[in-house]
Structure formats: structure tokens, C-alpha cells
């Protein structure tokens, strides 16, 4: 996945985390769900083999970002790291 695509997917993920219960604690499941939905939206289809690879690549790109605090706080950290992650 190229950096422009990763940027779009991570931005969409941060947006989803902010809109959907931003005060709720972030969890692995929540992050995986929002990344998956963002990748699916970007692809527009769900039965392409690239979807799975892009989900895995996106999760790997944010693996070092601490998964703590609320969904909204995580989204803020994700937005702050977008430039570093996608460069």
C-alpha cells in the first residue's frame, strides 16, 4: 500500500473513532473494527484479496502507537502521527 492510500485510511479511521463513542476506552477490537471498515470503504468491495493485506498493513503502521485512553484521545494521537506514519 502506498503512503497516500495509508493516509486516507488512517484519516478515515481517526474520523470514525472520533464520531463513534469518542469517550469510550480504546480497545484492540475497536481499532481493528474501525480500520477494517475504513479499508473496506476505500476499496468499495469486500471480496478483493488486497483488502486483507491492506488491513494488515494499516494495523502494522500504527502498531507502535500506544493503545491507551479513549477512542477520541487515540484518534487525536493517530492524527498527530499521520505524517510520521505515512512518510
Amino acid at each position: 500500500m502506498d503512503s497516500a492510500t495509508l493516509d486516507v485510511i488512517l484519516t478515515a479511521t481517526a474520523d470514525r473513532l472520533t464520531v463513534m463513542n469518542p469517550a469510550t476506552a480504546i480497545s484492540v477490537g475497536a481499532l481493528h473494527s474501525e480500520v477494517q471498515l475504513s479499508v473496506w470503504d476505500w476499496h468499495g468491495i469486500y471480496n478483493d484479496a488486497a483488502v486483507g493485506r491492506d488491513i494488515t498493513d494499516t494495523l502494522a503502521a500504527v502498531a507502535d502507537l500506544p493503545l491507551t485512553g479513549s477512542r477520541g484521545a487515540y484518534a487525536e494521537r493517530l492524527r498527530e502521527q499521520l505524517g510520521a506514519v505515512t512518510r
Side-chain angles (χ1 to χ4, degrees):
M1 166 185 338
D2 63 34
S3 63
T5 300
L6 182 59
D7 184 55
V8 168
I9 292 170
L10 291 176
T11 298
T13 299
D15 291 348
R16 286 176 183 283
L17 289 166
T18 301
V19 172
M20 304 292 279
N21 303 313
T24 302
I26 188 67
S27 67
V28 172
L31 177 60
H32 287 205
S33 294
E34 302 306 350
V35 165
Q36 183 175 4
L37 291 171
S38 297
V39 170
W40 282 352
D41 283 350
W42 185 82
H43 276 273
I45 57 173
Y46 310 121
N47 62 350
D48 184 342
V51 170
R53 286 190 302 272
D54 286 352
I55 291 169
T56 302
D57 290 349
T58 303
L59 291 171
V62 297
D64 292 335
L65 191 61
L67 195 62
T68 59
S70 68
R71 292 166 56 105
Y74 183 85
E76 186 177 319
R77 286 193 306 276
L78 182 58
R79 286 190 180 99
E80 289 172 1
Q81 292 298 316
L82 275 173
V85 168
T86 58
R87 282 190 200 120

